[in-house]
Amino acid sequence: MQRIEFSLMQQTIQRALQKAGLDEGDARTCARIHTESSCDGIASHGLNRVARFVDYVHKGWIDIHAKPELEKSLGAIAIYNGHRGIGITNALFAVEKAAEMAKEYGVGIVALKNSSHWMRGGSYGWHAAQQGMAAICWTNTESCMPAWGGKNTRIGNNPFVMAVPRHKGPIVLDMAMSQYSYGKLQVTRLKNEKLPFPGGYDRDGNLTDDPGPIETSMRILPTGYWKGSGLAIVLDAMAALLSAGSPTNEIDKIGEGSCTGASQIFMVFDPSQLGGAEFTERMADSVADYVNQSEPAENSRDVRYPGQTAAANREQNRRLGIPVDETVWDEVMRLAE
């Protein structure tokens, strides 16, 4: 397995993004987020997304010069128009603005309409938690999953993020409403591996753990079956409602992919104004420790809380280098030439 040192990967991605037209600051920020995602073990939304992002920029589906614009302010909630700008920089702006509001009101909510793919949603949960803030964030997407009982795509996989700050390591949940994201299907296919559990249906309607046929049929399985389907639908409606933005059915009409026109919500809370910093730390430690002390099930070595595996991957890959698919790495290097 080829491993790439963190700074080399970040510098290479930055060059590729500057070649695509991004200014130095935005390219550096996006390269850092992509590299951090791969370093945490989420290559599907890190290095593996770079070439696709560059393609969408060249097609004009993402406006690399656009900046979020305030449309309405209601005290602890603000609505911004992302103008189909860069998803990463739009989302970082939104979570930072929500954190500023939380310091004043205890809670800050930024509803961002008309944005684009935010890449790894967990990045914004980690960003808030590392500042001592708690966060709840989600986005809608173009339709990429059938509603429960349906055959054709009508709902997004609508990633959902929750983050709880903790000095020993934040508790961060980052999950799509599909059993596996399309990025995870791609990564598994590139490794010539099967999914740990069935992830969707092939063209003939057979449940399968083979990622290739699921990518082809686009019949990914909602997490929790009908429950994941229901959550995806409500997250879509709520994101559009709070941002006065587009639901999935309107994003589909744009037809440009990359979540072009997506509605995204960033809710940030200041624990110091709620139970206080000492309570927050003690409570979060108790939750993490209680989970870690579980008796492992058959064929399981340990039991982890959300975010613990990402933190372990980060430590190892910072030390040893970030594992890459060589074909993907070669493609990004060509973009950087």
Side-chain angles (χ1 to χ4, degrees):
M1 178 188 298
Q2 184 177 6
R3 289 181 176 268
I4 306 299
E5 195 268 331
F6 187 100
S7 62
L8 174 58
M9 180 179 289
Q10 181 172 335
Q11 292 163 10
T12 303
I13 296 173
Q14 180 177 336
R15 287 199 306 273
L17 297 181
Q18 287 187 254
K19 288 270 189 178
L22 276 68
D23 65 37
E24 183 178 356
D26 286 345
R28 184 185 306 111
T29 297
C30 291
R32 175 178 60 82
I33 295 295
H34 280 288
T35 305
E36 288 175 349
S37 298
S38 280
C39 189
D40 285 5
I42 317 296
S44 60
H45 290 68
L47 183 71
N48 295 21
R49 286 274 174 162
V50 173
R52 192 186 310 181
F53 173 81
V54 169
D55 179 54
Y56 289 163
V57 170
H58 289 157
K59 289 177 176 175
W61 293 357
I62 298 169
D63 184 349
I64 60 175
H65 304 295
K67 302 297 179 185
E69 179 183 9
L70 180 65
E71 289 200 343
K72 185 176 289 187
S73 179
L74 300 167
I77 183 169
I79 297 175
Y80 280 82
N81 189 328
H83 293 296
R84 302 188 188 178
I86 300 168
I88 287 175
T89 55
N90 275 357
L92 285 172
F93 170 88
V95 77
E96 282 286 345
K97 185 62 65 175
E100 288 178 20
M101 295 160 64
K103 291 172 184 175
E104 181 176 358
Y105 300 109
V107 59
I109 303 173
V110 170
L112 180 65
K113 66 192 287 186
N114 199 25
S115 194
S116 63
H117 201 305
W118 66 0
M119 300 302 160
R120 178 178 66 150
S123 297
Y124 315 109
W126 283 100
H127 187 76
Q130 287 163 351
Q131 298 180 53
M133 297 288 189
I136 301 174
C137 313
W138 73 92
T139 180
N140 63 6
T141 72
E142 69 271 20
S143 64
C144 59
M145 177 168 68
W148 184 251
K151 189 174 181 179
N152 57 334
T153 58
R154 280 294 181 269
I155 59 178
N157 59 4
N158 301 345
F160 180 73
V161 178
M162 297 183 75
V164 176
R166 177 172 172 261
H167 287 308
K168 293 180 182 178
I171 301 171
V172 182
L173 173 72
D174 177 10
M175 60 175 287
M177 292 301 112
S178 55
Q179 185 67 39
Y180 300 100
S181 70
Y182 278 97
K184 177 65 173 178
L185 296 181
Q186 179 202 39
V187 167
T188 305
R189 173 175 50 78
L190 289 173
K191 292 179 179 178
N192 292 315
E193 294 177 354
K194 295 292 183 70
L195 299 164
F197 301 94
Y201 301 89
D202 63 21
R203 283 178 168 172
D204 298 320
N206 300 307
L207 198 61
T208 180
D209 59 1
D210 188 346
I214 303 170
E215 290 175 297
T216 301
S217 72
M218 293 192 69
R219 293 181 65 181
I220 54 177
L221 190 67
T223 184
Y225 303 108
W226 51 89
K227 295 181 180 181
S229 176
L231 279 169
I233 293 166
V234 176
L235 287 170
D236 174 38
M238 189 64 76
L241 182 152
L242 293 175
S243 66
S246 297
T248 289
N249 63 79
E250 292 183 5
I251 297 172
D252 283 352
K253 293 175 185 175
I254 298 171
E256 294 182 353
S258 191
C259 300
T260 303
S263 303
Q264 300 172 345
I265 307 301
F266 302 84
M267 304 172 65
V268 177
F269 306 86
D270 183 359
S272 69
Q273 299 184 55
L274 301 172
E278 183 180 342
F279 165 80
T280 300
E281 196 67 22
R282 185 173 67 252
M283 177 280 300
D285 279 347
S286 74
V287 170
D289 292 344
Y290 200 56
V291 170
N292 285 160
Q293 291 163 8
S294 301
E295 180 181 352
E298 298 80 4
N299 302 317
S300 177
R301 290 179 299 176
D302 56 10
V303 184
R304 299 183 174 188
Y305 58 83
Q308 191 171 5
T309 297
N313 288 338
R314 184 182 311 152
E315 188 280 328
Q316 176 175 292
N317 293 335
R318 279 281 195 170
R319 181 166 42 88
L320 301 178
I322 303 169
V324 300
D325 179 271
E326 292 186 17
T327 301
V328 173
W329 176 240
D330 288 345
E331 182 178 26
V332 174
M333 285 197 296
R334 285 195 297 273
L335 291 173
E337 291 176 351

